[in-house]
Amino acid sequence: MKFTLSWLKEHLDTTATIDQIAEALTDLGLEVEEIADPAARLGTFTLARIDHAEQHPDADRLRVCRVMTDEGEKQIVCGAPNARAGITVVLAKPGDYVPGIDTTLGVGKIRGVESHGMMASERELELSEEHDGIIELPSGVVGQRFVDWLAQNAPDKIDPMIHIKITPNRPDALGVHGVARDLAARGLGTLKAVTVDAVPGAFPCPVGVTIDAGVAAKAPFFAGRVVRGVTNGPSPAWLQKRLRAIGLRPINALVDITNFFTFDLNRPLHVFDAGKVAGDLILRGARAGEELVALDDKTYALPEGAVVICDDNGIESIAGIMGGAASGASEETRDVFIEAAYFDPISTAATGRALKINSDARYRFERGIDPAFTLPGLELATRMVLDLCGGEASEVVSAGALPDTSRAYRLDPARTSRLVGMDIDEADQRATLEALGFRLEGEMAHVPSWRPDVLGEADLVEEIARIASLTKLQGKPLRRAQAGVPKPVLTPLQVREKTARRMAAALGYNECVTYSFIDQASAALFGGGDDAVRVENPISSEMSHLRPDLLPGLLQAAARNQARGFADLALFELGPVFSGGEPGEQAVRISGLLVGQTAPRDPFGSRRKVDLYDAKADAEAILNAIGAPARAQINRKLDGWWHPGRAGNIALGPNVLATFGEIHPKVLRQMDVKGPAVGFTIQLAAVPFPKVKSPTRPALELSELQAVDRDFAFVVDAGVEALTLVNAAAGADKALIAGVSVFDQFQGLEGGQKSLAITVRLQPRDKTLTDADIEAVSRKIVEKVEKATGGRLRA
């Protein structure tokens, strides 16, 4: 949609600048695509006066002029035939850009004579195509800006053109009057009312109109009248300038009038040469095989059922889209039939798409024009035809009935504030709607006929917010459901999952995300695969059952990587596993898998095969990160996919926290994984949660007293586990003993026994330990260990 500033001011009484108008239009939802402002490219040119002009010594058609400028007298060589002393001209100085010749001027020599600038013609300043001579101004003073002179004496030459982008829901803005209405509602001026003076009919209309029943829904209303005795020549200069400014080519007065109303009031019209119309006009559906040569001189094969306007000779126009060339108005036209109608938007759009015609009329009809303005638009067009072309108008003839667009919705001012987020006074809300043409009766807002997009209470709110400007909306935080510090978003288990995932990644594992579905054979290897976890409609045969453990997915990923040459792997996954198909038969675990070697090849012999202690260390590191107790037991009540004797459970009594160790060789063979392969599985929910639910860590407790280390060596049976000995020693005095660790193991003693050496750290809290205190604790340690292991202190 294009229009000029002066055109807009014919509908809007405003003093706003072009920048203010452009900003308001974009804010209102009528986005400004372009502003073509001729004054912007003429700002550097000033007025000057030729004081003396004489023939160039070496050129017959050139004159050397002494020109008085705001910088003093300058010498300029000019080739214009009207360059003479005493005239006021438009001066372009060195350094000025001249748009018509796309050149930035400099001081030059023309046939040996220096020239300091140029005196411009209208074409060189892109004001017109006139280039017979330089511009002669009837008034003006030296040094005055040329744009200021034009603003006072010829404002039409610097009339800015505004191009706005119209969304499909705003057909009312496809006319300059509709745009002015929005700006007036915003407060940028006062809307000028459109006055419609009915033109009395001087004679009965000789052309009747009829709507066929088959297209009554597609073309509900059709009206027109004949104007006889017109003179159809070029339209007046003001109309031609207006059309050219928006990119339209003036054709003749009658056609230019219809184009003017299309853009001025969003009222598409069509004029038929009445002398070429045979009989009456009828609206009907096109029949198969019918064609029309349209005004663009193209022949169109009409789709069956498309609404067309016909006379006794055949089709004369495609309704709402384009007229036919045979009945088009020309300079020989003396009698015209002016048509104004309302066509269904969907039907018009379908026909236009089928014919691939993009006309201004179709663009408006398919979006929905104002049906109530059909007859007023016809009256206004008739008046302009009589004013510009003369003639005498007949009575109006019509067929059909205008659609009923009346509807009303309740205005709830409180809801407006809730939806928009701005406090808009009720009086302002009502004033906004009234400025946009809504009629208010109590709480009900009656929608104007030119707003087909307003279809509910929410649309009323949108109109109020649009005019109030959403740029004034201030960000406000949402109210908290409860006062005070908000509760954590993540559950304790979700926090634990995040911590475990980050720790596994820090240990060097790569995270895998595999499907929760696996094949039945793999599920059976890990204690699953029964009907309780079978998927009714699996994606494939390899995804038929819910996984009972995370290790199958990790092993399958390892097999794929090994097949591609990646032998050393460290993979982990965190996700759900399923013991059944009912609620509650699901748990979240984290599993890790180590395959191959611990390090790349190097000359220092650091490369070795992974073993169960690697898996145990990583499992303990993750358990420590999620807050598991430091003291736990190891038992060997293992599932069948772990290697017996090379795996274990980390437990608190019967509560198993984690399992670590080597994967059973038969499982590796069936999963096609080349060993060694070790892994771990941690049951995240089995780890006890802290009793004190605080996001802060407890205070660090440090003792000022010196710690004491004591070493002990015990001879025990070969089957005694080191952990049993360590736990026994640690339990001798829980308050004083800070830590116990194994530092030596010697096997091969008499009777198949072995020696385990431990270091016990004693950390006093309130006083320095005496020798007697240390000896007393040492005796307790020996007694506890001997009782728990059946061993003895090594001599």
Side-chain angles (χ1 to χ4, degrees):
M1 174 65 187
K2 296 180 180 179
F3 54 90
T4 62
L5 180 61
S6 63
W7 195 346
L8 176 67
K9 288 185 176 182
E10 289 193 359
H11 295 273
L12 183 70
D13 186 4
T14 182
T15 58
T17 65
I18 187 68
D19 291 335
Q20 291 172 329
I21 290 172
E23 182 180 356
L25 286 172
T26 299
D27 192 36
L28 288 166
L30 308 176
E31 183 179 352
V32 175
E33 292 275 284
E34 174 192 8
I35 296 178
D37 188 1
R41 59 178 182 268
L42 301 178
T44 60
F45 304 115
T46 57
L47 272 55
R49 185 183 67 250
I50 301 178
D51 288 342
H52 179 76
E54 61 182 24
Q55 188 69 35
H56 191 289
D58 293 329
D60 294 338
R61 295 186 178 183
L62 298 178
R63 299 178 70 79
V64 180
C65 304
R66 294 201 303 274
V67 182
M68 181 57 63
T69 74
D70 58 340
E71 298 176 353
E73 189 175 82
K74 302 287 184 181
Q75 177 175 281
I76 298 176
V77 177
C78 181
N82 62 334
R84 63 189 186 278
I87 65 172
T88 301
V89 297
V90 179
L91 175 67
K93 302 175 184 177
D96 289 348
Y97 174 74
V98 183
I101 58 176
D102 191 21
T103 300
T104 299
L105 296 180
V107 177
K109 278 192 176 183
I110 303 177
R111 296 287 183 95
V113 177
E114 275 194 355
S115 181
H116 297 263
M118 67 176 287
M119 293 171 285
S121 68
E122 289 199 356
R123 191 172 75 179
E124 288 165 339
L125 299 185
E126 294 186 343
L127 296 175
S128 72
E129 293 301 317
E130 178 63 40
H131 194 54
D132 292 337
I134 58 176
I135 298 173
E136 294 185 37
L137 300 180
S139 61
V141 297
V142 172
Q144 182 181 5
R145 291 204 317 156
F146 182 45
V147 291
D148 296 336
W149 187 93
L150 288 173
Q152 298 172 3
N153 300 276
D156 58 298
K157 291 184 179 295
I158 54 171
D159 193 11
M161 186 278 296
I162 305 171
H163 180 195
I164 60 176
K165 185 177 182 180
I166 305 297
T167 52
N169 66 318
R170 291 298 309 280
D172 61 298
L174 289 172
V176 180
H177 188 75
V179 175
R181 183 187 297 111
D182 264 19
L183 291 171
R186 171 54 70 84
L188 261 69
T190 304
L191 183 67
K192 298 179 181 180
V194 177
T195 304
V196 181
D197 295 326
V199 178
F203 58 93
C205 184
V207 179
V209 293
T210 309
I211 299 176
D212 186 87
V215 296
K218 300 178 180 179
F221 186 71
F222 185 79
R225 71 193 321 171
V226 168
V227 179
R228 64 188 181 189
V230 300
T231 301
N232 186 25
S235 58
W238 69 266
L239 181 54
Q240 292 192 35
K241 288 179 181 178
R242 190 153 291 178
L243 296 178
R244 285 195 180 99
I246 62 174
L248 294 180
R249 178 176 60 88
I251 298 175
N252 55 55
L254 290 171
V255 175
D256 292 351
I257 288 170
T258 63
N259 286 334
F260 172 78
F261 276 95
T262 298
F263 284 86
D264 187 60
L265 295 170
N266 192 26
R267 177 62 258 181
L269 301 165
H270 183 63
V271 289
F272 296 87
D273 188 330
K276 299 176 183 178
V277 174
D280 296 336
L281 294 176
I282 180 172
L283 273 72
R284 64 170 175 82
R287 305 183 183 102
E290 288 188 311
E291 294 182 340
L292 173 69
V293 179
L295 288 172
D296 60 359
D297 295 325
K298 294 181 181 179
T299 301
Y300 294 96
L302 302 174
E304 189 173 356
V307 181
V308 293
I309 304 173
C310 308
D311 63 1
D312 293 346
N313 292 330
I315 298 175
E316 297 294 346
S317 175
I318 307 170
I321 297 177
M322 188 174 287
S327 59
S330 63
E331 292 187 0
E332 290 76 29
T333 298
R334 294 295 172 262
D335 300 332
V336 295
F337 181 84
I338 307 174
E339 166 231 317
Y342 179 78
F343 301 111
D344 175 65
I346 296 177
S347 173
T348 305
T351 302
R353 290 174 185 174
L355 296 174
K356 297 180 181 179
I357 298 177
N358 294 309
S359 64
D360 292 326
R362 174 203 162 183
Y363 187 78
R364 285 158 174 78
F365 275 118
E366 71 181 5
R367 281 161 175 76
I369 64 168
D370 180 8
F373 194 68
T374 303
L375 290 177
L378 177 61
E379 296 290 352
L380 290 171
T382 303
R383 177 66 63 187
M384 185 173 283
V385 169
L386 295 177
D387 291 344
L388 300 185
C389 303
E392 187 180 31
S394 74
E395 297 174 349
V396 174
V397 293
S398 63
L402 290 170
D404 182 12
T405 61
S406 61
R407 59 196 186 280
Y409 304 104
R410 178 174 174 267
L411 173 63
D412 183 355
R415 187 186 184 206
T416 302
S417 299
R418 288 196 306 270
L419 290 181
V420 178
M422 290 191 296
D423 294 327
I424 305 174
D425 188 72
E426 180 178 353
D428 293 337
Q429 295 186 33
R430 298 177 71 89
T432 293
L433 293 178
E434 288 174 344
L436 292 173
F438 291 77
R439 180 170 52 87
L440 294 174
E441 293 181 355
E443 293 183 339
M444 302 305 293
H446 295 263
V447 183
S449 56
W450 58 81
R451 292 303 301 270
D453 58 306
V454 178
L455 298 172
E457 294 181 16
D459 291 330
L460 299 179
V461 175
E462 181 183 357
E463 291 302 298
I464 294 168
R466 189 171 61 86
I467 300 302
S469 180
L470 291 176
T471 59
K472 299 177 182 178
L473 186 64
Q474 295 181 353
K476 297 179 181 179
L478 291 174
R479 283 186 179 182
R480 290 177 176 171
Q482 296 178 348
V485 179
K487 293 182 178 180
V489 176
L490 300 178
T491 66
L493 182 59
Q494 289 173 326
V495 173
R496 178 171 287 179
E497 291 173 12
K498 182 175 70 171
T499 304
R501 180 180 282 111
R502 291 175 64 88
M503 189 62 199
L507 291 170
Y509 287 78
N510 295 305
E511 185 174 9
C512 292
V513 180
T514 63
Y515 283 103
S516 296
F517 312 114
I518 58 175
D519 60 283
Q520 196 276 336
S522 297
L525 287 175
F526 291 84
D530 55 18
D531 289 343
V533 291
R534 185 172 60 84
V535 180
E536 284 292 333
N537 187 22
I539 300 174
S540 69
S541 60
E542 296 178 351
M543 298 183 181
S544 59
H545 288 71
L546 293 171
R547 62 188 179 191
D549 200 279
L550 296 174
L551 287 173
L554 294 177
L555 289 168
Q556 289 173 351
R560 287 191 296 271
N561 278 273
Q562 285 184 338
R564 289 161 176 77
F566 299 97
D568 302 333
L569 303 167
L571 309 174
F572 86 93
E573 181 172 8
L574 190 152
V577 297
F578 306 88
S579 58
E582 299 299 324
E585 297 180 331
Q586 174 181 331
V588 177
R589 297 179 182 173
I590 182 171
S591 291
L593 179 68
L594 295 171
V595 181
Q597 308 289 325
T598 59
R601 298 169 66 182
D602 60 32
F604 309 108
S606 57
R607 181 176 171 86
R608 63 173 177 80
K609 294 181 179 180
V610 294
D611 57 31
L612 67 97
Y613 298 107
D614 296 316
K616 182 180 182 228
D618 292 341
E620 288 177 338
I622 295 175
L623 285 171
N624 180 64
I626 63 177
R631 297 175 180 176
Q633 298 84 43
I634 303 293
N635 66 56
R636 292 185 174 80
K637 298 177 181 179
L638 301 169
D639 294 310
W641 54 89
W642 296 103
H643 195 302
R646 297 184 184 178
N649 294 322
I650 301 175
L652 295 174
N655 182 24
V656 176
L657 307 183
T659 304
F660 66 90
E662 290 188 18
I663 310 298
H664 201 289
K666 71 174 184 180
V667 174
L668 296 180
R669 285 195 299 271
Q670 295 191 41
M671 301 291 290
D672 198 22
V673 175
K674 300 176 180 63
V678 298
F680 63 84
T681 295
I682 299 174
Q683 303 184 40
L684 295 175
V687 177
F689 287 95
K691 295 180 180 180
V692 179
K693 298 180 179 179
S694 172
T696 60
R697 293 184 178 182
L700 178 64
E701 295 182 7
L702 296 176
S703 177
E704 298 178 348
L705 303 176
Q706 179 68 39
V708 177
D709 290 340
R710 282 293 182 265
D711 295 340
F712 301 88
F714 295 94
V715 177
V716 296
D717 293 336
V720 174
E721 297 175 349
L723 183 61
T724 303
L725 190 150
V726 169
N727 288 340
D733 191 329
K734 295 181 179 179
L736 191 59
I737 296 176
V740 180
S741 60
V742 177
F743 71 87
D744 184 48
Q745 175 181 277
F746 179 76
Q747 293 181 333
L749 295 179
E750 185 179 353
Q753 291 184 317
K754 64 181 179 180
S755 172
L756 290 175
I758 61 173
T759 294
V760 179
R761 168 156 289 194
L762 306 178
Q763 179 61 63
R765 299 294 178 182
D766 52 0
K767 65 176 183 177
T768 302
L769 296 177
T770 64
D771 290 343
D773 295 332
I774 296 173
E775 289 299 329
V777 174
S778 299
R779 285 194 298 271
K780 289 181 182 180
I781 293 172
V782 173
E783 291 174 3
K784 282 281 188 180
V785 172
E786 290 179 348
K787 184 177 179 181
T789 63
R792 69 182 187 278
L793 188 66
R794 187 175 179 183

